[in-house]
Amino acid sequence: MRAELPRWVDYGLLPLLNLAAALVVSGLIVVMLGENPVEALELLISGAFGFGEAIGYTLYYATNFIFTGLAVAVAFHAGLFNIGGEGQAYIGGLGVGLVCLALEPLPFVLVLPAAIVAGAVFGGLWGLIPGWLQARRGSHIVITTIMFNFIASALMTYLLVNVLIRPGQASPESRVFADHVWLPQLDEIAAGFGVDLPGSPLNLAFLFALVACVLVWVYVWQTRAGYRLRVVGQNEQAAVYGGIEPGRVVMVAMAISGALAAGVGLNEIMGAQHRLILGFPGGYGFVGIAVALMGRNHPVGIVLAAILFGALYQGGSELSFDMPAVNRDMVVVIQGLVILFCGALENMFRPALARLFRRPAPAGAVA
C-alpha cells in the first residue's frame, strides 16, 4: 500500500532525495574513472547554467521534455502507461514537416497554425489507435504503444528513403524548408524588442510548451472532462457506476497524449532542424516517462523536472568536453541513473519518510 506523506514531502523532499541518491551513485562512478566528483558536478552545473548560450540549450532540450512529460502525465491520469511518446512525436513531426514542405509559399502566420494543427492531428491519431485497441479490443496499452514506436520508425525510414528524400542526395532527409517558415528563435524575437540574448536553438516552441502546461492544468483539474479522466484513472468501476464510459475516456486521453507529444516535432523539425530527418525524437519520448514521474504528473513539477533533464543533456555534453575521462557514454549512464532513481525507484525512500513524518493520531481517536 502507498504510504501517505505531507504534500511538501511528497512533491518536494522525496524527488530531491531521489535526485541526491542518483548523484551519489554517479559520483562513485566518476571516482572509479579517476576523476573528482565534486569538480565533475561543478562542470555539469556550469555547463548547463553557467552562461547564456548554455541556458538557451538547456531550455531547448527542456522544451522536448515538457511536451513528452505532459503526454505521459495525461495518460497517467487516465490510468494508462503510455510508452509510445517516441512514436507519437515521430509521426507528429511528420505532420509538421509535411505542412512546412507543402505550404511554404504561404506566409508564416498561416503556416504556423496549420503546422501546429497537423502535428497535433498526426500525433493524436497515432495515440488514438492504441487507445482504441485497448478500449474496444482489450489490447494492453503498454504492448501496443511499444509496437507503434517501431512502426513509426519503420514508416519514417520508408518515407524519407523512398518518398521525401531530396533528389540527388544519399542522406535520407527532406529538402530544407524555406527560411520564412522556420520557427523564430527567442534571441531573434528578443532582438526585436531591443534585448540582446545569446544565440541558441531555443525557439518559440518553448513558449508553446508553457502554454500547453496551462492548458493541461485547466483540462485535468478545471473541467468535467478532466474530472472524468481522473475518476477513470483512480477507479474504473466507480466511473462506470457514476455513468462515465471508460472506453471513450481512454481513447480521448491517448489522442490528447499523442497530440502533446507531437510538440517535439514542432521544436525539432520547425524550430531547429528545418527539414525532416531520421531519428529526431532522440529518446525524448522515453525520458518523458521519468519527467512525468518526477514531476508527479503535474504541469509545474513537469516543467521543473524537464529543466533538470535539459540540464543533464546540456551540462553532460560540456562535461564530456572538459573532462575526457567522463566520455559521452558515461554521461548517458549518469542520465540513466537519474531516470532509474527518479522513475523506477521513486518510492524507495517513501516508507522511511512515512515513518518520520507520520502524523500523531488525534486525542481520543479510536485505535
Side-chain angles (χ1 to χ4, degrees):
M1 183 178 177
R2 183 184 174 93
E4 293 296 330
L5 294 171
R7 290 176 65 87
W8 71 272
V9 177
D10 196 11
Y11 289 91
L13 184 57
L14 186 58
L16 287 177
L17 285 176
N18 291 329
L19 177 61
L23 292 178
V24 168
V25 176
S26 302
L28 294 176
I29 294 176
V30 173
V31 171
M32 291 170 63
L33 295 173
E35 297 287 354
N36 187 331
V38 176
E39 184 181 349
L41 182 61
E42 291 175 350
L43 287 172
L44 188 71
I45 295 174
S46 64
F49 301 108
F51 49 100
E53 185 182 5
I55 295 174
Y57 271 91
T58 296
L59 296 179
Y60 160 69
Y61 293 126
T63 302
N64 292 325
F65 296 133
I66 291 173
F67 281 123
T68 56
L70 290 174
V72 174
V74 168
F76 264 138
H77 284 295
L80 304 168
F81 196 48
N82 178 19
I83 306 183
E86 191 80 358
Q88 291 149 19
Y90 224 165
I91 299 301
L94 172 64
V96 173
L98 290 178
V99 165
C100 291
L101 289 170
L103 302 183
E104 63 182 11
L106 298 179
F108 175 74
V109 293
L110 296 179
V111 176
L112 176 60
I116 293 174
V117 171
V121 170
F122 274 57
L125 289 176
W126 203 252
L128 175 64
I129 298 172
W132 182 85
L133 288 172
Q134 165 144 334
R136 303 304 185 210
R137 292 292 180 266
S139 303
H140 200 287
I141 200 77
V142 172
I143 304 299
T144 52
T145 49
I146 289 175
M147 295 309 299
F148 268 68
N149 286 338
F150 289 107
I151 296 172
S153 178
L155 177 62
M156 286 294 288
T157 300
Y158 172 80
L159 290 175
L160 284 174
V161 170
N162 297 286
V163 181
L164 297 173
I165 189 170
R166 187 175 65 184
Q169 73 172 19
S171 178
E173 60 187 41
S174 72
R175 60 179 170 81
V176 177
F177 310 146
D179 55 5
H180 74 275
V181 302
W182 296 2
L183 211 56
Q185 296 182 343
L186 289 192
D187 60 301
E188 297 173 348
I189 297 175
F193 293 94
V195 179
D196 185 23
L197 292 180
S200 72
L202 181 64
N203 57 71
L204 199 59
F206 176 69
L207 300 182
F208 291 152
L210 298 180
V211 171
C213 288
V214 176
L215 294 178
V216 167
W217 178 80
V218 170
Y219 168 68
V220 174
W221 283 280
Q222 305 296 321
T223 66
R224 291 183 178 179
Y227 176 76
R228 291 194 290 268
L229 181 84
R230 288 181 286 132
V231 171
V232 170
Q234 293 177 14
N235 192 322
E236 191 170 314
Q237 290 181 335
V240 173
Y241 184 78
I244 299 172
E245 184 186 345
R248 178 176 296 180
V249 172
V250 166
M251 288 189 289
V252 171
M254 286 302 298
I256 294 175
S257 186
L260 287 167
V264 173
L266 201 65
N267 187 41
E268 289 290 328
I269 295 300
M270 199 172 178
Q273 306 297 337
H274 308 134
R275 66 194 189 284
L276 277 167
I277 60 172
L278 286 179
F280 69 84
Y284 296 121
F286 298 118
V287 180
I289 298 171
V291 171
L293 288 172
M294 191 171 183
R296 294 295 186 266
N297 298 316
H298 192 283
V300 175
I302 286 171
V303 169
L304 296 176
I307 292 174
L308 168 66
F309 279 91
L312 287 173
Y313 265 57
Q314 169 57 23
S317 299
E318 294 291 330
L319 177 62
S320 62
F321 279 119
D322 296 334
M323 194 173 279
V326 186
N327 58 29
R328 184 63 190 164
D329 292 333
M330 292 311 302
V331 171
V332 173
V333 170
I334 293 172
Q335 293 167 352
L337 285 170
V338 174
I339 294 173
L340 175 67
F341 279 91
C342 298
L345 301 178
E346 66 161 345
N347 291 317
M348 185 171 65
F349 298 107
R350 181 177 291 276
L353 290 174
R355 288 192 296 272
L356 184 63
F357 291 95
R358 182 174 294 143
R359 295 186 179 92
V366 179

mmCIF file of all heavy atoms in Angstrom, residues 93-136:
data_model
loop_
_atom_site.group_PDB
_atom_site.id
_atom_site.type_symbol
_atom_site.label_atom_id
_atom_site.label_comp_id
_atom_site.label_asym_id
_atom_site.label_seq_id
_atom_site.Cartn_x
_atom_site.Cartn_y
_atom_site.Cartn_z
ATOM 1 N N GLY A 93 5.823 14.961 -35.801
ATOM 2 C CA GLY A 93 6.827 15.733 -36.545
ATOM 3 C C GLY A 93 6.671 15.573 -38.040
ATOM 4 O O GLY A 93 6.936 16.516 -38.813
ATOM 5 N N LEU A 94 6.220 14.388 -38.470
ATOM 6 C CA LEU A 94 5.955 14.177 -39.899
ATOM 7 C C LEU A 94 4.865 15.133 -40.362
ATOM 8 O O LEU A 94 4.981 15.749 -41.441
ATOM 9 C CB LEU A 94 5.528 12.724 -40.135
ATOM 10 C CG LEU A 94 5.039 12.385 -41.547
ATOM 11 C CD1 LEU A 94 6.159 12.565 -42.570
ATOM 12 C CD2 LEU A 94 4.488 10.957 -41.604
ATOM 13 N N GLY A 95 3.809 15.281 -39.551
ATOM 14 C CA GLY A 95 2.746 16.217 -39.913
ATOM 15 C C GLY A 95 3.251 17.640 -40.010
ATOM 16 O O GLY A 95 2.911 18.378 -40.953
ATOM 17 N N VAL A 96 4.087 18.044 -39.056
ATOM 18 C CA VAL A 96 4.662 19.398 -39.087
ATOM 19 C C VAL A 96 5.510 19.589 -40.349
ATOM 20 O O VAL A 96 5.405 20.599 -41.065
ATOM 21 C CB VAL A 96 5.516 19.634 -37.829
ATOM 22 C CG1 VAL A 96 6.257 20.968 -37.928
ATOM 23 C CG2 VAL A 96 4.636 19.624 -36.578
ATOM 24 N N GLY A 97 6.337 18.586 -40.648
ATOM 25 C CA GLY A 97 7.227 18.693 -41.807
ATOM 26 C C GLY A 97 6.461 18.744 -43.122
ATOM 27 O O GLY A 97 6.820 19.514 -44.029
ATOM 28 N N LEU A 98 5.421 17.927 -43.255
ATOM 29 C CA LEU A 98 4.654 17.919 -44.495
ATOM 30 C C LEU A 98 3.988 19.268 -44.740
ATOM 31 O O LEU A 98 3.934 19.748 -45.882
ATOM 32 C CB LEU A 98 3.600 16.805 -44.439
ATOM 33 C CG LEU A 98 4.137 15.372 -44.509
ATOM 34 C CD1 LEU A 98 3.006 14.363 -44.395
ATOM 35 C CD2 LEU A 98 4.931 15.137 -45.788
ATOM 36 N N VAL A 99 3.486 19.882 -43.676
ATOM 37 C CA VAL A 99 2.870 21.209 -43.828
ATOM 38 C C VAL A 99 3.919 22.234 -44.250
ATOM 39 O O VAL A 99 3.670 23.056 -45.151
ATOM 40 C CB VAL A 99 2.196 21.634 -42.500
ATOM 41 C CG1 VAL A 99 1.885 23.124 -42.508
ATOM 42 C CG2 VAL A 99 0.918 20.836 -42.297
ATOM 43 N N CYS A 100 5.086 22.197 -43.639
ATOM 44 C CA CYS A 100 6.139 23.158 -43.996
ATOM 45 C C CYS A 100 6.584 22.978 -45.447
ATOM 46 O O CYS A 100 6.894 23.957 -46.137
ATOM 47 C CB CYS A 100 7.339 23.000 -43.057
ATOM 48 S SG CYS A 100 7.009 23.529 -41.371
ATOM 49 N N LEU A 101 6.616 21.724 -45.915
ATOM 50 C CA LEU A 101 7.013 21.480 -47.305
ATOM 51 C C LEU A 101 5.914 21.893 -48.292
ATOM 52 O O LEU A 101 6.192 22.462 -49.346
ATOM 53 C CB LEU A 101 7.323 19.994 -47.493
ATOM 54 C CG LEU A 101 8.603 19.483 -46.826
ATOM 55 C CD1 LEU A 101 8.662 17.962 -46.873
ATOM 56 C CD2 LEU A 101 9.835 20.075 -47.501
ATOM 57 N N ALA A 102 4.668 21.605 -47.922
ATOM 58 C CA ALA A 102 3.571 21.835 -48.865
ATOM 59 C C ALA A 102 3.098 23.279 -48.892
ATOM 60 O O ALA A 102 2.659 23.771 -49.936
ATOM 61 C CB ALA A 102 2.399 20.910 -48.506
ATOM 62 N N LEU A 103 3.157 23.961 -47.763
ATOM 63 C CA LEU A 103 2.568 25.305 -47.677
ATOM 64 C C LEU A 103 3.615 26.408 -47.609
ATOM 65 O O LEU A 103 3.275 27.544 -47.259
ATOM 66 C CB LEU A 103 1.652 25.385 -46.443
ATOM 67 C CG LEU A 103 0.500 24.375 -46.371
ATOM 68 C CD1 LEU A 103 -0.356 24.637 -45.137
ATOM 69 C CD2 LEU A 103 -0.358 24.426 -47.629
ATOM 70 N N GLU A 104 4.858 26.132 -47.944
ATOM 71 C CA GLU A 104 5.891 27.155 -47.775
ATOM 72 C C GLU A 104 5.689 28.386 -48.668
ATOM 73 O O GLU A 104 6.231 29.450 -48.335
ATOM 74 C CB GLU A 104 7.290 26.556 -47.988
ATOM 75 C CG GLU A 104 7.554 26.018 -49.364
ATOM 76 C CD GLU A 104 8.953 25.405 -49.437
ATOM 77 O OE1 GLU A 104 9.581 25.225 -48.387
ATOM 78 O OE2 GLU A 104 9.402 25.105 -50.562
ATOM 79 N N PRO A 105 4.923 28.312 -49.765
ATOM 80 C CA PRO A 105 4.649 29.583 -50.471
ATOM 81 C C PRO A 105 3.792 30.552 -49.661
ATOM 82 O O PRO A 105 3.786 31.747 -49.950
ATOM 83 C CB PRO A 105 3.909 29.132 -51.742
ATOM 84 C CG PRO A 105 4.316 27.707 -51.945
ATOM 85 C CD PRO A 105 4.454 27.159 -50.556
ATOM 86 N N LEU A 106 3.075 30.039 -48.650
ATOM 87 C CA LEU A 106 2.199 30.899 -47.852
ATOM 88 C C LEU A 106 2.995 31.647 -46.790
ATOM 89 O O LEU A 106 4.098 31.233 -46.411
ATOM 90 C CB LEU A 106 1.117 30.045 -47.181
ATOM 91 C CG LEU A 106 0.173 29.289 -48.116
ATOM 92 C CD1 LEU A 106 -0.820 28.465 -47.306
ATOM 93 C CD2 LEU A 106 -0.557 30.253 -49.044
ATOM 94 N N PRO A 107 2.437 32.738 -46.260
ATOM 95 C CA PRO A 107 3.145 33.470 -45.185
ATOM 96 C C PRO A 107 3.195 32.659 -43.902
ATOM 97 O O PRO A 107 2.374 31.768 -43.668
ATOM 98 C CB PRO A 107 2.314 34.746 -45.032
ATOM 99 C CG PRO A 107 1.002 34.448 -45.636
ATOM 100 C CD PRO A 107 1.224 33.424 -46.694
ATOM 101 N N PHE A 108 4.149 33.019 -43.037
ATOM 102 C CA PHE A 108 4.389 32.265 -41.799
ATOM 103 C C PHE A 108 3.161 32.227 -40.902
ATOM 104 O O PHE A 108 2.874 31.215 -40.259
ATOM 105 C CB PHE A 108 5.565 32.898 -41.052
ATOM 106 C CG PHE A 108 5.840 32.283 -39.714
ATOM 107 C CD1 PHE A 108 6.444 31.040 -39.612
ATOM 108 C CD2 PHE A 108 5.482 32.939 -38.535
ATOM 109 C CE1 PHE A 108 6.690 30.456 -38.379
ATOM 110 C CE2 PHE A 108 5.716 32.374 -37.308
ATOM 111 C CZ PHE A 108 6.326 31.128 -37.230
ATOM 112 N N VAL A 109 2.406 33.335 -40.856
ATOM 113 C CA VAL A 109 1.249 33.389 -39.951
ATOM 114 C C VAL A 109 0.180 32.366 -40.333
ATOM 115 O O VAL A 109 -0.673 32.020 -39.506
ATOM 116 C CB VAL A 109 0.639 34.809 -39.914
ATOM 117 C CG1 VAL A 109 1.596 35.778 -39.271
ATOM 118 C CG2 VAL A 109 0.250 35.266 -41.320
ATOM 119 N N LEU A 110 0.193 31.896 -41.568
ATOM 120 C CA LEU A 110 -0.736 30.849 -41.994
ATOM 121 C C LEU A 110 -0.119 29.457 -41.837
ATOM 122 O O LEU A 110 -0.821 28.496 -41.517
ATOM 123 C CB LEU A 110 -1.153 31.071 -43.462
ATOM 124 C CG LEU A 110 -1.934 32.356 -43.763
ATOM 125 C CD1 LEU A 110 -2.257 32.447 -45.247
ATOM 126 C CD2 LEU A 110 -3.212 32.404 -42.931
ATOM 127 N N VAL A 111 1.180 29.368 -42.071
ATOM 128 C CA VAL A 111 1.845 28.065 -41.985
ATOM 129 C C VAL A 111 1.919 27.590 -40.535
ATOM 130 O O VAL A 111 1.734 26.398 -40.247
ATOM 131 C CB VAL A 111 3.260 28.140 -42.600
ATOM 132 C CG1 VAL A 111 3.995 26.807 -42.418
ATOM 133 C CG2 VAL A 111 3.180 28.485 -44.073
ATOM 134 N N LEU A 112 2.181 28.512 -39.607
ATOM 135 C CA LEU A 112 2.369 28.110 -38.206
ATOM 136 C C LEU A 112 1.137 27.421 -37.616
ATOM 137 O O LEU A 112 1.261 26.298 -37.095
ATOM 138 C CB LEU A 112 2.760 29.329 -37.360
ATOM 139 C CG LEU A 112 2.896 29.069 -35.863
ATOM 140 C CD1 LEU A 112 3.970 28.010 -35.594
ATOM 141 C CD2 LEU A 112 3.211 30.367 -35.113
ATOM 142 N N PRO A 113 -0.070 28.025 -37.678
ATOM 143 C CA PRO A 113 -1.223 27.301 -37.120
ATOM 144 C C PRO A 113 -1.502 26.001 -37.851
ATOM 145 O O PRO A 113 -1.927 25.021 -37.232
ATOM 146 C CB PRO A 113 -2.373 28.302 -37.263
ATOM 147 C CG PRO A 113 -1.925 29.299 -38.256
ATOM 148 C CD PRO A 113 -0.456 29.369 -38.153
ATOM 149 N N ALA A 114 -1.284 25.984 -39.178
ATOM 150 C CA ALA A 114 -1.507 24.738 -39.928
ATOM 151 C C ALA A 114 -0.541 23.653 -39.456
ATOM 152 O O ALA A 114 -0.920 22.477 -39.324
ATOM 153 C CB ALA A 114 -1.331 24.995 -41.419
ATOM 154 N N ALA A 115 0.720 24.029 -39.191
ATOM 155 C CA ALA A 115 1.709 23.048 -38.725
ATOM 156 C C ALA A 115 1.351 22.536 -37.336
ATOM 157 O O ALA A 115 1.495 21.332 -37.049
ATOM 158 C CB ALA A 115 3.099 23.683 -38.713
ATOM 159 N N ILE A 116 0.898 23.444 -36.461
ATOM 160 C CA ILE A 116 0.510 23.011 -35.109
ATOM 161 C C ILE A 116 -0.661 22.030 -35.181
ATOM 162 O O ILE A 116 -0.653 20.975 -34.536
ATOM 163 C CB ILE A 116 0.141 24.239 -34.249
ATOM 164 C CG1 ILE A 116 1.386 25.104 -34.004
ATOM 165 C CG2 ILE A 116 -0.468 23.797 -32.920
ATOM 166 C CD1 ILE A 116 1.092 26.412 -33.292
ATOM 167 N N VAL A 117 -1.668 22.382 -35.989
ATOM 168 C CA VAL A 117 -2.842 21.505 -36.114
ATOM 169 C C VAL A 117 -2.449 20.166 -36.740
ATOM 170 O O VAL A 117 -2.862 19.095 -36.265
ATOM 171 C CB VAL A 117 -3.938 22.199 -36.948
ATOM 172 C CG1 VAL A 117 -5.058 21.230 -37.270
ATOM 173 C CG2 VAL A 117 -4.475 23.413 -36.198
ATOM 174 N N ALA A 118 -1.643 20.211 -37.800
ATOM 175 C CA ALA A 118 -1.251 18.964 -38.472
ATOM 176 C C ALA A 118 -0.450 18.068 -37.532
ATOM 177 O O ALA A 118 -0.669 16.849 -37.471
ATOM 178 C CB ALA A 118 -0.434 19.289 -39.723
ATOM 179 N N GLY A 119 0.485 18.657 -36.798
ATOM 180 C CA GLY A 119 1.268 17.860 -35.861
ATOM 181 C C GLY A 119 0.388 17.232 -34.793
ATOM 182 O O GLY A 119 0.525 16.040 -34.465
ATOM 183 N N ALA A 120 -0.545 18.026 -34.250
ATOM 184 C CA ALA A 120 -1.440 17.506 -33.217
ATOM 185 C C ALA A 120 -2.342 16.406 -33.769
ATOM 186 O O ALA A 120 -2.582 15.391 -33.098
ATOM 187 C CB ALA A 120 -2.276 18.640 -32.632
ATOM 188 N N VAL A 121 -2.823 16.585 -34.996
ATOM 189 C CA VAL A 121 -3.703 15.563 -35.594
ATOM 190 C C VAL A 121 -2.924 14.284 -35.873
ATOM 191 O O VAL A 121 -3.382 13.179 -35.543
ATOM 192 C CB VAL A 121 -4.336 16.116 -36.891
ATOM 193 C CG1 VAL A 121 -5.038 15.002 -37.655
ATOM 194 C CG2 VAL A 121 -5.324 17.225 -36.562
ATOM 195 N N PHE A 122 -1.753 14.413 -36.475
ATOM 196 C CA PHE A 122 -0.941 13.221 -36.774
ATOM 197 C C PHE A 122 -0.570 12.484 -35.478
ATOM 198 O O PHE A 122 -0.732 11.275 -35.368
ATOM 199 C CB PHE A 122 0.327 13.617 -37.541
ATOM 200 C CG PHE A 122 0.139 13.721 -39.022
ATOM 201 C CD1 PHE A 122 -0.821 14.566 -39.567
ATOM 202 C CD2 PHE A 122 0.922 12.982 -39.895
ATOM 203 C CE1 PHE A 122 -0.995 14.666 -40.935
ATOM 204 C CE2 PHE A 122 0.752 13.062 -41.274
ATOM 205 C CZ PHE A 122 -0.204 13.925 -41.791
ATOM 206 N N GLY A 123 -0.039 13.229 -34.505
ATOM 207 C CA GLY A 123 0.344 12.593 -33.240
ATOM 208 C C GLY A 123 -0.854 12.056 -32.486
ATOM 209 O O GLY A 123 -0.805 10.982 -31.882
ATOM 210 N N GLY A 124 -1.962 12.824 -32.526
ATOM 211 C CA GLY A 124 -3.166 12.392 -31.818
ATOM 212 C C GLY A 124 -3.739 11.109 -32.395
ATOM 213 O O GLY A 124 -4.139 10.203 -31.655
ATOM 214 N N LEU A 125 -3.778 11.022 -33.732
ATOM 215 C CA LEU A 125 -4.290 9.794 -34.351
ATOM 216 C C LEU A 125 -3.386 8.609 -34.047
ATOM 217 O O LEU A 125 -3.862 7.489 -33.844
ATOM 218 C CB LEU A 125 -4.413 9.996 -35.873
ATOM 219 C CG LEU A 125 -5.543 10.928 -36.328
ATOM 220 C CD1 LEU A 125 -5.491 11.117 -37.833
ATOM 221 C CD2 LEU A 125 -6.898 10.366 -35.910
ATOM 222 N N TRP A 126 -2.059 8.866 -34.010
ATOM 223 C CA TRP A 126 -1.126 7.771 -33.700
ATOM 224 C C TRP A 126 -1.302 7.298 -32.248
ATOM 225 O O TRP A 126 -1.063 6.142 -31.939
ATOM 226 C CB TRP A 126 0.310 8.220 -33.942
ATOM 227 C CG TRP A 126 1.250 7.075 -34.197
ATOM 228 C CD1 TRP A 126 2.213 6.591 -33.369
ATOM 229 C CD2 TRP A 126 1.309 6.271 -35.387
ATOM 230 N NE1 TRP A 126 2.861 5.540 -33.948
ATOM 231 C CE2 TRP A 126 2.330 5.312 -35.201
ATOM 232 C CE3 TRP A 126 0.594 6.248 -36.588
ATOM 233 C CZ2 TRP A 126 2.661 4.366 -36.164
ATOM 234 C CZ3 TRP A 126 0.929 5.308 -37.549
ATOM 235 C CH2 TRP A 126 1.935 4.392 -37.321
ATOM 236 N N GLY A 127 -1.705 8.206 -31.365
ATOM 237 C CA GLY A 127 -2.001 7.792 -29.990
ATOM 238 C C GLY A 127 -3.385 7.197 -29.846
ATOM 239 O O GLY A 127 -3.614 6.322 -28.993
ATOM 240 N N LEU A 128 -4.310 7.663 -30.695
ATOM 241 C CA LEU A 128 -5.694 7.178 -30.613
ATOM 242 C C LEU A 128 -5.800 5.687 -30.943
ATOM 243 O O LEU A 128 -6.605 4.976 -30.336
ATOM 244 C CB LEU A 128 -6.575 7.992 -31.563
ATOM 245 C CG LEU A 128 -8.038 7.541 -31.701
ATOM 246 C CD1 LEU A 128 -8.785 7.677 -30.380
ATOM 247 C CD2 LEU A 128 -8.737 8.348 -32.802
ATOM 248 N N ILE A 129 -4.996 5.227 -31.890
ATOM 249 C CA ILE A 129 -5.122 3.821 -32.328
ATOM 250 C C ILE A 129 -4.863 2.847 -31.169
ATOM 251 O O ILE A 129 -5.687 1.960 -30.911
ATOM 252 C CB ILE A 129 -4.181 3.545 -33.522
ATOM 253 C CG1 ILE A 129 -4.570 4.432 -34.706
ATOM 254 C CG2 ILE A 129 -4.253 2.074 -33.930
ATOM 255 C CD1 ILE A 129 -3.586 4.378 -35.867
ATOM 256 N N PRO A 130 -3.751 2.974 -30.423
ATOM 257 C CA PRO A 130 -3.590 2.073 -29.260
ATOM 258 C C PRO A 130 -4.696 2.262 -28.221
ATOM 259 O O PRO A 130 -5.107 1.301 -27.562
ATOM 260 C CB PRO A 130 -2.224 2.467 -28.686
ATOM 261 C CG PRO A 130 -1.514 3.144 -29.793
ATOM 262 C CD PRO A 130 -2.564 3.815 -30.606
ATOM 263 N N GLY A 131 -5.167 3.517 -28.069
ATOM 264 C CA GLY A 131 -6.274 3.742 -27.133
ATOM 265 C C GLY A 131 -7.528 3.006 -27.565
ATOM 266 O O GLY A 131 -8.230 2.404 -26.740
ATOM 267 N N TRP A 132 -7.821 3.049 -28.873
ATOM 268 C CA TRP A 132 -8.995 2.341 -29.392
ATOM 269 C C TRP A 132 -8.825 0.829 -29.221
ATOM 270 O O TRP A 132 -9.769 0.121 -28.853
ATOM 271 C CB TRP A 132 -9.184 2.681 -30.866
ATOM 272 C CG TRP A 132 -10.395 2.033 -31.468
ATOM 273 C CD1 TRP A 132 -11.679 2.477 -31.448
ATOM 274 C CD2 TRP A 132 -10.424 0.785 -32.178
ATOM 275 N NE1 TRP A 132 -12.510 1.586 -32.088
ATOM 276 C CE2 TRP A 132 -11.765 0.536 -32.558
ATOM 277 C CE3 TRP A 132 -9.442 -0.148 -32.533
ATOM 278 C CZ2 TRP A 132 -12.141 -0.591 -33.274
ATOM 279 C CZ3 TRP A 132 -9.823 -1.276 -33.242
ATOM 280 C CH2 TRP A 132 -11.158 -1.490 -33.594
ATOM 281 N N LEU A 133 -7.614 0.342 -29.487
ATOM 282 C CA LEU A 133 -7.367 -1.106 -29.359
ATOM 283 C C LEU A 133 -7.583 -1.563 -27.914
ATOM 284 O O LEU A 133 -8.098 -2.655 -27.678
ATOM 285 C CB LEU A 133 -5.939 -1.432 -29.819
ATOM 286 C CG LEU A 133 -5.692 -1.332 -31.331
ATOM 287 C CD1 LEU A 133 -4.208 -1.488 -31.639
ATOM 288 C CD2 LEU A 133 -6.507 -2.386 -32.075
ATOM 289 N N GLN A 134 -7.177 -0.731 -26.938
ATOM 290 C CA GLN A 134 -7.400 -1.118 -25.540
ATOM 291 C C GLN A 134 -8.873 -1.002 -25.170
ATOM 292 O O GLN A 134 -9.434 -1.888 -24.512
ATOM 293 C CB GLN A 134 -6.564 -0.245 -24.609
ATOM 294 C CG GLN A 134 -7.021 -0.335 -23.146
ATOM 295 C CD GLN A 134 -5.893 -0.281 -22.142
ATOM 296 O OE1 GLN A 134 -4.769 -0.641 -22.421
ATOM 297 N NE2 GLN A 134 -6.205 0.172 -20.948
ATOM 298 N N ALA A 135 -9.507 0.094 -25.588
ATOM 299 C CA ALA A 135 -10.894 0.332 -25.181
ATOM 300 C C ALA A 135 -11.866 -0.644 -25.830
ATOM 301 O O ALA A 135 -12.833 -1.075 -25.196
ATOM 302 C CB ALA A 135 -11.282 1.774 -25.536
ATOM 303 N N ARG A 136 -11.635 -0.997 -27.082
ATOM 304 C CA ARG A 136 -12.603 -1.815 -27.829
ATOM 305 C C ARG A 136 -12.166 -3.258 -28.034
ATOM 306 O O ARG A 136 -13.007 -4.117 -28.293
ATOM 307 C CB ARG A 136 -12.862 -1.174 -29.200
ATOM 308 C CG ARG A 136 -13.368 0.266 -29.133
ATOM 309 C CD ARG A 136 -14.634 0.409 -28.297
ATOM 310 N NE ARG A 136 -15.161 1.773 -28.346
ATOM 311 C CZ ARG A 136 -15.839 2.327 -27.348
ATOM 312 N NH1 ARG A 136 -16.043 1.648 -26.234
ATOM 313 N NH2 ARG A 136 -16.292 3.565 -27.450
#
